[in-house]
Amino acid sequence: MKTYLSLLIIPSLLPLALHAQAPEVIPPAVEKPKLTDQQVTSVLGQLKVLEADILTKRGTSLASIMAKLNDGMASDAAAQKLYTECELVVNSERKEESKAEARARAEQLERRLEGGKGKGTDTTDEGDPALGIRLGLRYLVMTLEAHEAKEEDFKKMVPKLQTYIQDLVASAPKLKGRALTMINRVCNQGSPVVEAFQLDRYLEREGWSNNPTAIGGMYSETILKMAETDAKDSLPTLWDSRITADAAFRKENMTVPEHALWLQNELPALRWERATYLYEKGPSAINAMGDMLKNIKENPGHADAPNWVQQLRQLVNQSSPTPISSEADKPDSK
């Protein structure tokens, strides 16, 4: 019986053994073509001309699209019209729906977009969808500008972004339900606007957030990043602006109990993030450590407080002029 099992096992392992012993096969190197000096000059010259032509056509096409998007921001009616047209292009024309189906789709969309319109700034569930579209179009245009900007011009996006954040926060009372959804619906990949104008490949840019309502992302990816090299002394103030704007926006888009929990749990964590960031990259590490201590004192019951204590203790020990024993800074257990 033992011999029979051995005969079964050994053949099954044989391919693995042979595979392990087989020498590694190195593919032959691809031989690069040899061009004459004349060929190199000719090809590079043609590429230069083609590149200029491509950039001209690309700039003209994108400028035309951005002009249409800007026109859509002019009024609520213009915003709804542009969005509806894009929706019909993507979901009706390209899918070859019948005229009756397209008309029914347009009417349904119009009814959805009208939801909440004219109801003022009260706590209506739907808010102002047209305002949401306009803000979404505005952020989409900024995203396209950021994508195309050279490094020196990209810095000019910071004041535009800060103004947008101010307007976003000011508009927060009207951005509820469908209205808030429409901002993201306009900007994201898969959006009828993005699909209609074929803008998917223009949405990614390092140092730029694609989320038109993520205030924290706008600061961390763009505003603070720029200030790290160009205006280091402004980092504490910028962080304060980020926290203030984020808190104000959330207050308008959360229920009272939800916002109370955010203030209790997330706001102290955000302030700790501010302090640790400024310790690493701000103008004064000592001031940052003071902010850490202040945050711990004000939030001793926070779930992260024990970790905060450990982190700050470690930083203090590292900064001490004389070595401190591991037991010296522990609380008295008597």
Side-chain angles (χ1 to χ4, degrees):
M1 182 65 176
K2 185 175 180 181
T3 304
Y4 176 69
L5 290 175
S6 299
L7 290 174
L8 288 177
I9 293 171
I10 293 174
S12 66
L13 296 178
L14 186 59
L16 295 177
L18 292 175
H19 178 72
Q21 296 173 1
E24 182 180 358
V25 178
I26 301 176
V30 178
E31 184 178 355
K32 296 180 180 179
K34 301 294 184 181
L35 300 177
T36 65
D37 291 341
Q38 183 179 4
Q39 288 173 321
V40 170
T41 301
S42 175
V43 173
L44 291 180
Q46 292 179 62
L47 287 176
K48 185 175 181 180
V49 173
L50 287 170
E51 182 180 33
D53 185 47
I54 289 169
L55 291 176
T56 299
K57 290 180 178 178
R58 172 190 175 103
T60 301
S61 175
L62 197 57
S64 175
I65 291 172
M66 291 168 67
K68 292 179 181 178
L69 298 178
N70 278 310
D71 289 342
M73 285 186 264
S75 66
D76 288 353
Q80 291 181 341
K81 182 175 183 292
L82 176 63
Y83 188 87
T84 301
E85 288 175 348
C86 290
E87 178 88 25
L88 293 177
V89 166
V90 173
N91 293 314
S92 294
E93 291 183 17
R94 291 180 185 171
K95 294 181 180 179
E96 296 184 335
E97 284 187 340
S98 67
K99 291 183 179 179
E101 290 173 324
R103 184 165 54 252
R105 181 184 294 276
E107 292 172 353
Q108 182 184 28
L109 180 61
E110 184 178 355
R111 286 194 299 270
R112 293 210 321 261
L113 294 179
E114 287 294 328
K117 186 177 180 181
K119 295 183 181 179
T121 59
D122 57 15
T123 56
T124 176
D125 290 338
E126 301 305 334
D128 187 346
L131 176 61
I133 296 174
R134 292 171 68 183
L135 286 168
L137 291 173
R138 178 175 169 184
Y139 197 80
L140 179 57
V141 169
M142 291 170 55
T143 299
L144 297 177
E145 291 175 344
H147 184 276
E148 295 299 290
K150 303 295 184 183
E151 195 59 37
E152 58 274 14
D153 294 326
F154 187 60
K155 296 178 181 180
K156 298 176 183 177
M157 298 302 301
V158 171
K160 286 187 177 183
L161 191 54
Q162 290 173 312
T163 300
Y164 170 82
I165 292 172
Q166 292 173 0
D167 293 342
L168 179 68
V169 173
S171 301
K174 298 181 181 180
L175 299 176
K176 301 177 185 299
R178 186 175 295 121
L180 186 61
T181 300
M182 292 308 297
I183 301 179
N184 293 287
R185 178 70 173 140
V186 169
C187 293
N188 293 344
Q189 287 187 343
S191 152
V193 180
V194 171
E195 290 293 321
F197 290 108
Q198 301 179 58
L199 298 173
D200 299 72
R201 291 178 174 84
Y202 295 90
L203 300 183
E204 298 297 331
R205 164 72 193 240
E206 185 178 356
W208 185 264
S209 172
N210 286 339
N211 191 326
T213 58
I215 294 173
M218 297 174 202
Y219 270 93
S220 62
E221 294 191 37
T222 306
I223 299 174
L224 291 170
K225 286 287 186 184
M226 291 290 183
E228 286 174 11
T229 54
D230 296 340
K232 191 174 183 178
D233 289 342
S234 70
L235 288 173
T237 301
L238 289 175
W239 254 101
D240 291 338
S241 298
R242 172 195 169 171
I243 293 175
T244 299
D246 206 359
F249 188 74
R250 290 176 183 275
K251 183 178 180 179
E252 295 295 339
N253 289 282
M254 287 180 166
T255 64
V256 173
E258 286 173 340
H259 189 247
L261 288 175
W262 186 86
L263 292 175
Q264 176 183 325
N265 299 315
E266 303 306 323
L267 182 57
L270 196 55
R271 287 176 174 158
W272 182 261
E273 184 183 349
R274 172 192 183 276
T276 54
Y277 172 95
L278 293 176
Y279 178 84
E280 295 290 337
K281 301 179 180 180
S284 172
I286 292 179
N287 288 346
M289 293 171 73
D291 291 337
M292 292 180 196
L293 184 60
K294 181 174 183 287
N295 195 54
I296 295 172
K297 287 181 176 180
E298 292 178 350
N299 303 280
H302 194 279
D304 294 335
N307 291 332
W308 296 342
V309 170
Q310 292 299 324
Q311 291 176 49
L312 181 54
R313 176 181 288 128
Q314 184 178 12
L315 294 178
V316 171
N317 288 342
Q318 291 172 354
S319 302
S320 174
T322 57
I324 298 178
S325 67
S326 59
E327 298 294 325
D329 57 358
K330 288 185 178 180
D332 192 353
S333 59
K334 293 182 181 180

